[in-house]
Structure formats: structure tokens, C-alpha cells
Amino acid sequence: MVTYNNLIHKYKNELNNKGLSPEVAKAFIFELCNEYGINLYMEMDNQVSEIIEKRFEDGIARILNDEPMNYVLGYSYFYGYKFNVNKDVLIPRPETEELVCLILQKYDEYFKGRKIDVCDVGTGSGAIAISLKKEEDNLNVIASDISDEALLVANENANQNAANIKFLCGSMLEPYIENNIKVDILVSNPPYIKVDEIL
């Protein structure tokens, strides 16, 4: 009988040899269990279902082959929201949540209660743009990326999180210039914020 504990400890040495923490196995199986509504901490010594065992074994093999766990899972969390991710987009970084927080603070400081336009250049998965819209509905958010594949992922994430975002395809500021779009806050990748000089 293979238990959840068995699976978690099975790859301890291989993970160590790859420079990865054995906690990766625990985090991975925890996410898999969440998807099936299983409370891992109540099941540690119980037999693993065949479905989870296979997904775990296949996933750990990919992780040991240097594939990030979030790509294996197909999703990541950012600012409390769930985002689909794949190789067409970067995995949202936890430290980038500070940027979202800063933009929201600047909105409160300069625009409180007003409807304003924000653009997110190089949106990738759409994590920043979508989180901003979810946190402050007064923001009219326009997001762009040069990659059609990335924009497909971003659109999926906007729909999944019920966020009304306008997406444009193009390099850097080109789509905004072409469409004569003026914004109050500009977010780019690498990230910086520019609040309009008229303030």
C-alpha cells in the first residue's frame, strides 16, 4: 500500500541531489489533493488513489527535469487570485505583489474615487492587470503583450477571474500610440510606474 507519506518521502534524495527542498514534494501533492477536495493532513497515512499517484509520479519527473512546479500544475496564485500559467508566460512572482500594492496606494493618494486609465505593458499571464481591476473597479485597465500566445493565457485568466480587461497585441507602447490611448498610470515590464505629470 502506497500512502501519501510514502510518496512525499520517496523522492527526498533525488530532490536533494537536484538542489531542491524535499518540501517541494509535499507542496506538490498538497496542491493535487486540493484539486480533488482531499484534506492531505487527515490522509497522510492513508492509501493514495491511483489518479493522484500517477499525476504525482508524472509531475515529480517533470520537476526533477527542471520544469517549475507551477507549469506542471498549470496554475499559480498571485494577490489571492488563481492564474493559469504555461510556457508562454512567466510565473507571477510573489514580490511583484508589492508593485500591485504600490499602484493601489498611488491610486488612493492621487485619484481616490475617480475612474482612471491604467495600462500594463508586457502583461504575460495578466496577473498584474487583473489583480488591479479586481481590487479597484474604478480602474479602466488595458493590457498588452507582443505574444499572441501570452494574450490567450491572459484572456483566459481575465474570464476565469471575471475581470473586464481590454487586451492589445504589440511591442511595448506601440499599440497604445497606434490607438491614441492616453493613460494615467503606466505599468511596464521590467516594472515601473509613471503617474501623469499633470498631477
Side-chain angles (χ1 to χ4, degrees):
M1 180 181 81
V2 178
T3 69
Y4 292 93
N5 255 329
N6 294 150
L7 278 186
I8 289 169
H9 291 98
K10 181 177 178 180
Y11 292 94
K12 181 178 179 180
N13 289 336
E14 288 183 65
L15 288 166
N16 275 328
N17 291 339
K18 293 289 289 187
L20 297 170
S21 167
E23 289 298 309
V24 168
K26 189 172 184 179
F28 182 52
I29 201 165
F30 180 81
E31 286 295 332
L32 294 180
C33 287
N34 273 350
E35 290 179 29
Y36 290 93
I38 297 169
N39 184 340
L40 177 63
Y41 297 107
M42 301 292 288
E43 303 282 339
M44 293 293 282
D45 295 316
N46 292 346
Q47 184 172 359
V48 180
S49 73
E50 289 182 10
I51 294 173
I52 291 182
E53 183 176 2
K54 181 170 185 351
R55 284 193 63 191
F56 180 84
E57 296 278 2
D58 291 347
I60 281 291
R62 290 167 63 186
I63 291 168
L64 287 169
N65 198 34
D66 300 322
E67 190 171 351
M69 184 171 69
N70 292 110
Y71 285 157
V72 175
L73 289 167
Y75 61 85
S76 182
Y77 291 96
F78 180 84
Y79 221 80
Y81 303 103
K82 187 176 181 180
F83 294 92
N84 297 327
V85 294
N86 59 32
K87 291 181 179 179
D88 294 320
V89 299
L90 296 175
I91 297 165
R93 300 190 305 267
E95 56 268 28
T96 307
E97 293 182 352
E98 296 175 15
L99 175 64
V100 172
C101 186
L102 177 60
I103 294 168
L104 293 170
Q105 287 175 356
K106 291 297 182 183
Y107 169 79
D108 286 340
E109 184 177 346
Y110 291 107
F111 303 104
K112 185 69 173 174
R114 287 169 51 194
K115 290 190 178 295
I116 67 164
D117 297 319
V118 177
C119 74
D120 177 25
V121 180
T123 194
S125 67
I128 293 173
I130 292 165
S131 298
L132 286 171
K133 182 63 179 177
K134 294 296 291 183
E135 293 296 310
E136 179 50 70
D137 194 49
N138 279 325
L139 301 181
N140 174 41
V141 182
I142 307 164
S144 65
D145 204 285
I146 196 170
S147 165
D148 288 323
E149 292 78 13
L151 288 174
L152 283 174
V153 177
N155 265 296
E156 287 174 4
N157 285 326
N159 291 333
Q160 176 179 288
N161 286 286
N164 184 19
I165 309 285
K166 180 177 181 179
F167 291 103
L168 301 172
C169 187
S171 176
M172 299 303 290
L173 298 178
E174 286 178 5
Y176 302 95
I177 295 168
E178 289 169 0
N179 290 280
N180 196 30
I181 295 172
K182 300 182 187 298
V183 297
D184 300 290
I185 297 178
L186 168 65
V187 186
S188 75
N189 188 13
Y192 67 89
I193 309 170
K194 181 180 179 184
V195 178
D196 212 5
E197 290 179 358
I198 61 170
L199 299 174

